[in-house]
Amino acid sequence: MDMNLSAEELAFQQEVRSFCEATITPELKSKSYNGKRHTKEDVLGWQRALASKGWLTPSWPVEHGGCDWTPFQHLIFEEEAYGAGAPRLVVFGISMIGPVLIQFASDEMKKEHLPGIQNSTVWWCQGFSEPGAGSDLASLKTKAVREGDHYIVNGQKTWTTMAQHADWIFCLVKTDPDCKPQAGITMLLIDMKSPGVEVRPIQTMDGGHEVNEVFLDNVKVPVENLVGEENKGWTYAKFLLGNERKGIAEVGLSKRRLEHLKSLAKIEQAGGRPMTEDPDFARRIAEVEINLLTLEMMNLRLLNAMTSGSPPLEEAAMLKIKGTEIQQGLTELTMAVLGPYSAPFQPAGLIEGWNEELAGPEYAAGAAPAYFNMRKSSIYGGSNEVQRQIIAKTVLSA
Amino acid sequence: MDLNFTEEQNLLRESLSRYLADNYSFEHRKGYLEAGSSLVAQSLDEMGLNALTLSEDDGGFGGNSVDTAIVMEELGRALVTEPYLGSTVIGTALLAGKPGDVVGNGKSVAAALTEMGGRYDLNHVATKASKNGDGYKIDGSKVMVLNATDADTVLVTARLNGDLRDQAGIGLFAVTKDAEGMSTKGYVTQDGMQAGDVDFDGVEAALLVEDAWPTIDKAFDQVNSAICAEAVGAMEAVTKLTKEYLQTRQQFGRPLATFQALQFRLVDMMVAVTEARAISLKASMLADSNDVVERNRTVSAAKVKVCEAARLVGQDAIQLHGGIGMTNEYAAGHYFKRLTMICQSFGDRDWHLKRFIG
């Protein structure tokens, strides 16, 4: 047992660090740390730089362009990238539909869709949740009826992240209404330019626009866009959500937030002294830091278990719960450290190109919106209640 | 001891509650915020609320902080963004006993008390007051001044003598709206209020209170009592909204309200609101006291409990709603934002816990 990075791992860390330093501009880094909004171009620029280096889809099988990294290399990469101020990747192609296609799709479908993900030329979004199907995903109602060589799709998806930028959507639809809900679900790939697809923005309470409603009105989808087999969609979705949970601990991102929080606590004052010298506040930072150190080790243990088989499902659920609580705790403290200066609402200040003077320091404008926004993390990806249910089921049935 | 409201107080609550039900639904509120104006402030004034705590000699109703709490609770329930707290409550508290024609009856006030780097400490006053003929002139900057852009009069603290954080040597001054050298940068706050940063560059000002710390400290307690009551109203409303949502929303073939894990979360919200209501009532009864130690302790105790309750209730209201709670179109998120900002106004939990310890 050894907590130190090996010589190879250190060399890899240095390679990632140099790449990030050469790729991420100081402006982009400052934007990331100060919680300003990344543009579509920020994200695509970063993803395409990674694609040129061959690092955009490292977890894919090598024959499909993966990197054959150890789990620890994935972690090193993630931490270095976030620490350097990288934007978050759009995971819908890279970590969600990509691996599903590799595992389950026909060769033609792989050939058609994998290169667009690898080169970051096609933006994907996820059509799972519906107004009546959130935590209870299997109760979805969007219907696909086969007519000749097409499906006719009708229904509504919601909470569709970044659908406003998306070229394609992978959707769960109902193809057999007469059986057990999970058994009648099919996965279809739908071109967002198809007639009958309409995207309507949902504004969230932080003033941002990440999620959307997607309406599907008699959308004609060629049968070639069926993933795998009809009525097997639930199996693919479970495979996909299992992958989603792998990255959900977000240790690297939380480390970046912790570093930022500490730097602000040195600047901001209480009682004429820096907040770092306020014992109450110092304790609150320490508590979240200890939680993060623990999460990091839980994550490492899980990654270690993955090198020799599949880790227990309940531990992935635990990572999701603790990881999101830490993200929420960090954004909450980052708002609290600012005191009265978290109050001005200056959404324009979060957008690039805003040059007018802001009220308060530059790092203040994004703090409260980030806290409000991060409440989503215990709701999405299977709410933390659903995660607890998974753990309870797993351990109580053992 | 008598913990019953008087008949007048019950009437006050009922009439305001009726007015807000008719004129301040969540849809109304959205419209007012989009338009950037409403006639609500005027209506509240016509109902006599701006003169509620002025003495009868000053044309008021001789009310106290319990009356203010009744009003604030109803305003909190409806998420009213008009500056009743930032103008009337803070103004009458600071001008205690001698309102002149500055506050009440249609007059709008702002209180410029907070400075950059001072966090929640109102004794942190770098703004300077110097003799200027018969009057004074003010130099300095204040931040997060509620109602800054619309006030007819800005009440401002400035240092007559002493060091940066001394309680002694702080004066309270009045500056009129159009005074030369005063510039205001206005903004909307996270929760939809109007506020701003105000710079004073040799601004002519009238001295209201020379040794103002006792006045400021008491006003701070009265404002905190009022904001605690506002939080109680907001918490009760968003808890009710959450309860109704759990009873309606179906997942896994049954209402969410039938899941025990969620029932207990809702119950914890209700316990928190009930605790907050109890200690806030005590704060409102002691907020006007001249027993400084007891008043400070009680108000801080209430604020600590309210901050804890507001955090739990706000966060769980969003969580129990799920995605819909995150949207701007739905009321829960707006309650959450207001409750969050209440926890960071006029002293946060840690600040009041420290003051309680002494």
Side-chain angles (χ1 to χ4, degrees), chain A residues 130-137 139 159 202-207 268-272 275 278-281 284 328 332 335-346 357-361 364-365 368-369 371-376 378-379 383-386 388-389, chain B residues 114-121 124 142-144 165 185 187-192 197 245 249-253 259 261-262 265 311 314-316 318-329 332-334 336-338 340-341 344-345 348-351 353-354 357:
Chain A
E130 296 184 4
S135 290
D136 182 11
L137 185 58
S139 69
W159 316 125
I202 299 175
Q203 197 187 37
T204 42
M205 61 167 147
D206 57 310
E268 291 293 318
Q269 300 216 330
M275 292 290 283
D278 176 294
D280 294 326
F281 203 78
R284 290 169 73 187
Q328 292 176 333
E332 186 170 8
M335 173 182 67
V337 78
L338 296 166
Y341 246 115
S342 59
F345 179 58
Q346 308 181 92
E357 201 187 330
L358 290 172
Y371 167 65
F372 298 144
N373 182 273
M374 203 40 64
R375 301 315 304 173
K376 72 187 176 188
S378 50
I379 296 169
S383 73
N384 288 12
E385 289 75 29
V386 167
R388 285 184 170 87
Q389 191 67 56
Chain B
T114 302
E115 296 192 4
M116 192 79 157
R119 206 167 164 84
Y120 301 114
D121 299 333
H124 180 111
K142 301 284 179 174
V143 299
M144 257 309 288
R165 297 177 52 77
K185 180 182 169 51
Y187 41 77
V188 178
T189 57
Q190 305 288 347
D191 46 4
D197 293 355
Y245 186 79
R249 171 77 171 173
Q250 304 264 333
Q251 289 283 270
F252 307 102
F259 291 85
L262 305 186
R265 298 276 286 269
R311 176 175 184 268
Q315 291 183 351
D316 273 6
I318 303 302
Q319 185 69 23
L320 294 181
H321 274 90
I324 187 77
M326 290 294 302
T327 67
N328 210 30
E329 287 301 295
H334 296 268
F336 172 56
K337 287 196 282 186
R338 178 62 191 143
T340 301
M341 288 299 135
Q344 308 217 114
S345 307
D348 62 9
R349 179 188 174 277
D350 285 357
W351 192 98
L353 197 55
K354 275 197 190 87
I357 294 166

Side-chain angles (χ1 to χ4, degrees), chain A residues 45-356:
Chain A
W46 170 240
Q47 292 197 162
R48 285 172 188 166
L50 288 175
S52 316
K53 178 81 179 167
W55 282 355
L56 185 59
T57 56
S59 61
W60 289 13
V62 176
E63 63 270 28
H64 288 290
C67 295
D68 197 25
W69 286 348
T70 65
F72 302 114
Q73 281 180 291
H74 282 280
L75 196 70
I76 290 167
F77 174 79
E78 185 193 306
E79 288 196 6
E80 289 298 323
Y82 278 134
R88 296 177 78 162
L89 300 176
V90 180
V91 294
F92 305 106
I94 300 162
S95 318
M96 298 176 108
I97 194 63
V100 168
L101 297 183
I102 290 168
Q103 189 81 11
F104 301 107
S106 65
D107 287 343
E108 295 74 39
M109 186 175 262
K110 285 180 198 164
K111 213 180 283 170
E112 188 185 347
H113 289 292
L114 293 182
I117 299 172
Q118 272 166 326
N119 306 328
S120 192
T121 48
V122 177
W123 191 303
W124 283 87
C125 64
Q126 178 191 36
F128 280 17
S129 294
E130 296 184 4
S135 290
D136 182 11
L137 185 58
S139 69
L140 61 91
K141 296 258 176 337
T142 296
K143 221 170 51 178
V145 178
R146 177 90 182 248
E147 278 182 16
D149 53 1
H150 283 83
Y151 288 100
I152 305 297
V153 181
N154 280 289
Q156 184 196 341
K157 296 294 175 181
T158 193
W159 316 125
T160 317
T161 302
M162 296 295 157
Q164 71 268 37
H165 300 320
D167 305 298
W168 282 78
I169 182 170
F170 53 93
C171 273
L172 291 182
V173 297
K174 202 116 215 183
T175 33
D176 185 351
D178 300 323
C179 54
K180 188 174 162 243
Q182 288 84 348
I185 291 171
T186 293
M187 190 182 282
L188 293 179
L189 309 183
I190 302 178
D191 186 337
M192 293 292 280
K193 290 185 293 294
S194 313
V197 177
E198 192 198 340
V199 178
R200 288 188 207 157
I202 299 175
Q203 197 187 37
T204 42
M205 61 167 147
D206 57 310
H209 171 207
E210 290 176 337
V211 288
N212 303 272
E213 296 177 291
V214 177
F215 292 86
L216 302 157
D217 178 22
N218 283 316
V219 179
K220 262 177 94 174
V221 181
V223 286
E224 297 89 71
N225 293 2
L226 164 69
V227 178
E229 293 173 48
E230 208 173 83
N231 298 328
K232 289 278 175 65
W234 191 251
T235 308
Y236 312 149
K238 279 203 323 204
F239 173 85
L240 181 151
L241 292 171
N243 285 336
E244 184 186 12
R245 272 180 213 119
K246 254 187 248 167
I248 214 149
E250 297 275 28
V251 174
L253 190 57
S254 286
K255 281 189 165 181
R256 171 162 99 194
R257 289 203 171 105
L258 176 67
E259 194 191 320
H260 183 57
L261 166 64
K262 285 178 164 178
S263 71
L264 299 191
K266 284 191 191 121
I267 304 169
E268 291 293 318
Q269 300 216 330
R273 314 282 305 162
M275 292 290 283
T276 41
E277 293 175 24
D278 176 294
D280 294 326
F281 203 78
R283 173 177 301 178
R284 290 169 73 187
I285 296 179
E287 282 167 354
V288 71
E289 182 165 6
I290 289 166
N291 281 329
L292 181 55
L293 283 169
T294 307
L295 179 79
E296 184 181 24
M297 204 57 202
M298 275 171 74
N299 195 37
L300 284 167
R301 284 187 72 240
L302 194 82
L303 292 172
N304 193 57
M306 281 165 65
T307 56
S308 58
S310 63
L313 185 64
E314 69 267 24
E315 287 200 19
M318 290 177 194
L319 274 182
K320 200 269 170 169
I321 294 171
K322 298 312 291 184
T324 52
E325 284 176 1
I326 288 166
Q327 292 177 56
Q328 292 176 333
L330 283 166
T331 50
E332 186 170 8
L333 285 183
T334 305
M335 173 182 67
V337 78
L338 296 166
Y341 246 115
S342 59
F345 179 58
Q346 308 181 92
L350 301 178
I351 297 166
E352 200 170 32
W354 175 262
N355 293 318
E356 284 180 46

Side-chain angles (χ1 to χ4, degrees), chain B residues 266-286:
Chain B
L266 180 71
V267 168
D268 286 345
M269 290 167 72
M270 289 172 165
V271 172
V273 180
T274 307
E275 285 188 279
R277 172 180 289 290
I279 192 69
S280 297
L281 178 66
K282 181 163 185 182
S284 69
M285 290 193 290
L286 278 153

